[in-house]
Structure formats: structure tokens, C-alpha cells
């Protein structure tokens, strides 16, 4: 809709410029005015302010003036209506969009807040979309929010350092916050603000400098990620174990964008809250997926657990499978 109004504005601007050019040239040719007088007569004629003529007009100049007045009334009337309509429609459209997004965010619970839609923020959002996680993005740049925002990627425009913006994004109800701003100082402020509002939420922050790592942890970040360090390790691993790294790169998400790795909460496999062994759950026969990891209630990890491993309250299972097997997993355990 805004593009439609923009095209009409270009037409309106073209008409105004055409009228000014026609008037100046007409008075210069038909009335033999100087360039200054021609500009002056064109302006007072088009604007219909009623000032007097610079010099008496001949018959040709009078006919041209009548033509200019009539055409300028139509052109200026159209231009003013288009500009007014654009301003009103743009502000109204943006207001309606912001309200629509806010209503959607207000309904979210246990969602993820992504602060910053730069390179790291975009990667985080794509992963959340793949795993069908509810999220909202906080972005200070209105152009970015307008360009990338839609019904599936909701944006809250503003500075995440301000508590009001975090509250608008539902920080009190959020499960996780990812601060992916380019500056460490900004991430530090966001972590501090978010932790003060929500003590239970998990906070993941980006960091550029190693000296900032401990500060972010002290401020309340549960995990601090250093993309540059990870990138260097990844490139070195491509030299040492290239096939393994390539396999790991394609492990979590297949080329079709489907999930290959999934974590299953205790409630999904033990809905009656009775502990079961991996053998009793029989996940392989029921879905085709294989259990490759077990996270205990204390947070410890068991790689490739035995069939006799007891799945306890507040634990999780980590499984791997082909996309169709993961789909069977979702249906079987209502994940």
C-alpha cells in the first residue's frame, strides 16, 4: 500500500514541476518577462494569492495565464490530496501495524526475545523458525524492522536498553533472551536490564572481546557466545577433521530445512510422571529415531546412554533421526 502511495506522490511532484516549468517559460515567451519576473508571476498565478501583474499582459499572455490558472488548480489540487492522503495513510498504516504486532506479542508466553537483527540475530531467528519456536525481535533501526517485519517475524522497534521496550516484548513472560547486538557494552546493558525484570529467564549474549565474557556472566548471562572465537575454531577443525565437521554442519538441519536433531522433555516420554528406562520407552521402534544423549536433572550429560538408563523427572533425551523420523517423533509424543 505504501508503495502505491509513493508512486502517486512521484506523479504529483512531476505535475508541480511541470506546471512551474510551463509557467516560467510561458511568461518568458508570451509576456516577454525577465526570468525573475517570470518566476514571480508563475508563483503568484499558481498559488492564486491575487498580487498584481508585473507589467500589463498582451492577448497571448492573458490566454496563457487563463490556461495556467485552470491547469494549476487541477494539478495542485491533485498533488495536495495525494500528499495529504499519503501522510495520513502512512501514519495510520504504521500505527495499525504496530498495534497488530503488539497484540500478537502480548499473547506470547515462554517465547524467545532476540535483541538485534544483524548477522547473528538473523541466524538465531532462522534457527528458531526451523524449530517452530515463538519469538519476537527488538530492533532499534526502523528501516530494518519495516523491511523484514511480517506476520511471521514480529518486530518491536526501540532501544532494548530501555525497560519499557523489554516489557513491550514480553520479557516478564519470556523463556529466553538472546542479545545479539554488535557492541559488547550494549549487550551488557540489555543483560542487566533483562535480568532485573525476569530472574528465571535464560539469557544468552554475544561478546566480541574476551574481557567482556566475565562481565556478561556477572551481569546475569547464562551463556556467552563469542562468534569470532567459534569461527576460528571451526576453520581449524576443517583442517584437522574436515569430514567430521562437514557432517556436524549438516547434522541439525537438513538441506530441506527439516530438523535432524531434537531434544525431548521428560513430560513427553513419561506423561504419567513415572520414571521409565530407555528400553521401556522404546523410542527407536516407535519412531525410528535413536537416542544419542541424556541430560540428567542435575545438568550432567550421558553420551549414547545404555538401554537401562532411567529417565528421571526434569531430565531430557537428545535424539537423532531423518526428517521423516523426527516427524514421527512429533506425532508419537505430541511435541
Amino acid at each position: 500500500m505504501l508503495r502505491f502511495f509513493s508512486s502517486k506522490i512521484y506523479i504529483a511532484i512531476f505535475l508541480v514541476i511541470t506546471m512551474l516549468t510551463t509557467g516560467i517559460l510561458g511568461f518568458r515567451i508570451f509576456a516577454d518577462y525577465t526570468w525573475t519576473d517570470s518566476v514571480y508571476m508563475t508563483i503568484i498565478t499558481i498559488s492564486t494569492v491575487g498580487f498584481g501583474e508585473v507589467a500589463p499582459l498582451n492577448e497571448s499572455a492573458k490566454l496563457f495565464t487563463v490556461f495556467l490558472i485552470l491547469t494549476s488548480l487541477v494539478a495542485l489540487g491533485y498533488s495536495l490530496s495525494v500528499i495529504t492522503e499519503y501522510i495520513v495513510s502512512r501514519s495510520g498504516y504504521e500505527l495499525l501495524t504496530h498495534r497488530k504486532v503488539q497484540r500478537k506479542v502480548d499473547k506470547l508466553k515462554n517465547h524467545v526475545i532476540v535483541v538485534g537483527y544483524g548477522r547473528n540475530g538473523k541466524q538465531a531467528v532462522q534457527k528458531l523458525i526451523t524449530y517452530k519456536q515463538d519469538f519476537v525481535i527488538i530492533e532499534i533501526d526502523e528501516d530494518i524492522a519495516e523491511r523484514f517485519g511480517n506476520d511471521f517475524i514480529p518486530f518491536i522497534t526501540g532501544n532494548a536498553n530501555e525497560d519499557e521496550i523489554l516489557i513491550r516484548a514480553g520479557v516478564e513472560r519470556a523463556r529466553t533472551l538472546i542479545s545479539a547486538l554488535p557492541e559488547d557494552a550494549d549487550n551488557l546493558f540489555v543483560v542487566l536490564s533483562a535480568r532485573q525484570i525476569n530472574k528465571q529467564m535464560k539469557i544468552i549474549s554475544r561478546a566480541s572481546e574476551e574481557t567482556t565474557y566475565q562481565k556478561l556472566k556477572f551481569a546475569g548471562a547464562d551463556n556467552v557466545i563469542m562468534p569470532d572465537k567459534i569461527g576460528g575454531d571451526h576453520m581449524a577443525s576443517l583442517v584437522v577433521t574436515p569430514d567430521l565437521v562437514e557432517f556436524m554442519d549438516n547434522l541439525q538441519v537438513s538441506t530441506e530445512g527439516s530438523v535432524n536433531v531434537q531434544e525431548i522433555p521428560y513430560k513427553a516420554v513419561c506423561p504419567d510422571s513415572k520414571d521409565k528406562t530407555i528400553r521401556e520407552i522404546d523410542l527407536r521402534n516407535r519412531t525410528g529415531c535413536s537416542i544419542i544423549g541424556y541430560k540428567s536433572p542435575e545438568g550432567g550429560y550421558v553420551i549414547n546412554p545404555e538401554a537401562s538408563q532411567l529417565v528421571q523427572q526434569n531430565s531430557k533425551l537428545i535424539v537423532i533421526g531423518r526428517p521423516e523420523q523426527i516427524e514421527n517423533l512429533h506425532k508419537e509424543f505430541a511435541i
Side-chain angles (χ1 to χ4, degrees), residues 236-249:
S237 297
L238 284 171
V239 177
V240 181
T241 54
D243 294 331
L244 175 60
V245 173
E246 187 175 353
F247 174 77
M248 296 298 293
D249 286 343

Side-chain angles (χ1 to χ4, degrees), residues 163 166 190-199 201 203 219-220:
D163 291 353
L166 290 172
V190 171
V191 171
L192 279 169
S193 300
R195 181 56 74 204
Q196 291 298 315
I197 300 174
N198 190 333
K199 304 291 185 182
M201 175 179 60
I203 299 179

Side-chain angles (χ1 to χ4, degrees), residues 122-133 252-253:
K122 288 180 181 178
Q123 292 174 348
V125 167
Q126 289 302 316
K127 180 72 72 173
L128 293 172
I129 292 174
T130 300
Y131 279 84
K132 299 179 181 178
Q133 298 288 310
Q252 291 191 347
V253 180

Side-chain angles (χ1 to χ4, degrees), residues 186-225:
D186 292 333
N187 287 317
L188 185 60
F189 278 116
V190 171
V191 171
L192 279 169
S193 300
R195 181 56 74 204
Q196 291 298 315
I197 300 174
N198 190 333
K199 304 291 185 182
Q200 307 301 322
M201 175 179 60
K202 183 175 183 180
I203 299 179
I204 303 169
S205 177
R206 176 189 184 277
S208 300
E209 303 293 335
E210 293 188 8
T211 54
T212 314
Y213 182 92
Q214 290 300 330
K215 294 178 183 177
L216 286 165
K217 296 285 285 187
F218 183 75
D222 297 286
N223 300 98
V224 179
I225 308 299

Side-chain angles (χ1 to χ4, degrees), residues 132 259 289 322-332:
K132 299 179 181 178
V259 177
C289 296
R322 295 190 301 275
E324 63 272 15
Q325 293 171 333
I326 295 293
E327 189 66 29
N328 292 336
L329 177 74
H330 290 174
K331 294 178 181 178
E332 183 72 23

Side-chain angles (χ1 to χ4, degrees), residues 23-274:
I24 293 171
L25 292 175
F27 283 115
R28 175 68 176 168
I29 295 170
F30 294 112
D32 198 25
Y33 285 165
T34 64
W35 287 111
T36 303
D37 290 343
S38 297
V39 172
Y40 173 76
M41 281 298 296
T42 300
I43 297 299
I44 66 173
T45 301
I46 290 177
S47 61
T48 66
V49 295
F51 288 169
E53 301 167 356
V54 174
L57 298 173
N58 56 38
E59 293 298 321
S60 299
K62 288 179 180 179
L63 291 174
F64 170 76
T65 303
V66 171
F67 165 79
L68 184 63
I69 291 173
L70 293 176
T71 54
S72 64
L73 285 174
V74 176
L76 288 179
Y78 172 80
S79 301
L80 288 174
S81 65
V82 168
I83 293 173
T84 303
E85 186 180 9
Y86 176 79
I87 294 173
V88 173
S89 300
R90 182 180 179 86
S91 59
Y93 175 79
E94 290 178 350
L95 181 61
L96 289 174
T97 301
H98 291 163
R99 286 181 178 177
K100 181 181 178 182
V101 171
Q102 192 62 59
R103 285 196 298 268
K104 181 177 180 180
V105 173
D106 289 342
K107 295 178 183 178
L108 295 178
K109 189 176 181 181
N110 293 325
H111 58 291
V112 180
I113 298 175
V114 179
V115 180
Y117 199 62
R119 176 170 54 88
N120 297 122
K122 288 180 181 178
Q123 292 174 348
V125 167
Q126 289 302 316
K127 180 72 72 173
L128 293 172
I129 292 174
T130 300
Y131 279 84
K132 299 179 181 178
Q133 298 288 310
D134 292 329
F135 66 90
V136 59
I137 305 166
I138 299 178
E139 174 57 52
I140 196 172
D141 192 327
E142 294 184 2
D143 291 336
I144 292 178
E146 183 177 340
R147 191 187 319 155
F148 296 103
N150 54 52
D151 291 339
F152 304 102
I153 306 180
F155 276 85
I156 296 293
T157 306
N159 191 341
N161 292 339
E162 301 175 4
D163 291 353
E164 178 186 354
I165 300 300
L166 290 172
I167 292 173
R168 283 181 54 196
V171 69
E172 298 135 315
R173 308 181 306 277
R175 172 170 54 92
T176 306
L177 181 141
I178 300 174
S179 188
L181 297 173
E183 298 295 332
D184 288 354
D186 292 333
N187 287 317
L188 185 60
F189 278 116
V190 171
V191 171
L192 279 169
S193 300
R195 181 56 74 204
Q196 291 298 315
I197 300 174
N198 190 333
K199 304 291 185 182
Q200 307 301 322
M201 175 179 60
K202 183 175 183 180
I203 299 179
I204 303 169
S205 177
R206 176 189 184 277
S208 300
E209 303 293 335
E210 293 188 8
T211 54
T212 314
Y213 182 92
Q214 290 300 330
K215 294 178 183 177
L216 286 165
K217 296 285 285 187
F218 183 75
D222 297 286
N223 300 98
V224 179
I225 308 299
M226 301 183 66
D228 293 340
K229 184 177 180 180
I230 293 175
D233 290 342
H234 188 84
M235 288 187 286
S237 297
L238 284 171
V239 177
V240 181
T241 54
D243 294 331
L244 175 60
V245 173
E246 187 175 353
F247 174 77
M248 296 298 293
D249 286 343
N250 291 278
L251 181 61
Q252 291 191 347
V253 180
S254 70
T255 54
E256 293 82 12
S258 302
V259 177
N260 291 130
V261 179
Q262 184 79 58
E263 62 177 39
I264 310 176
Y266 172 85
K267 283 292 184 181
V269 293
C270 301
D272 54 1
S273 298
K274 293 182 180 179

Side-chain angles (χ1 to χ4, degrees), residues 288-314:
C289 296
S290 299
I291 298 174
I292 60 173
Y294 171 75
K295 183 180 180 181
S296 68
E298 296 77 24
Y301 286 91
V302 178
I303 306 299
N304 192 24
E306 301 291 341
S308 58
Q309 173 69 55
L310 187 66
V311 180
Q312 299 174 302
Q313 186 86 22
N314 297 323

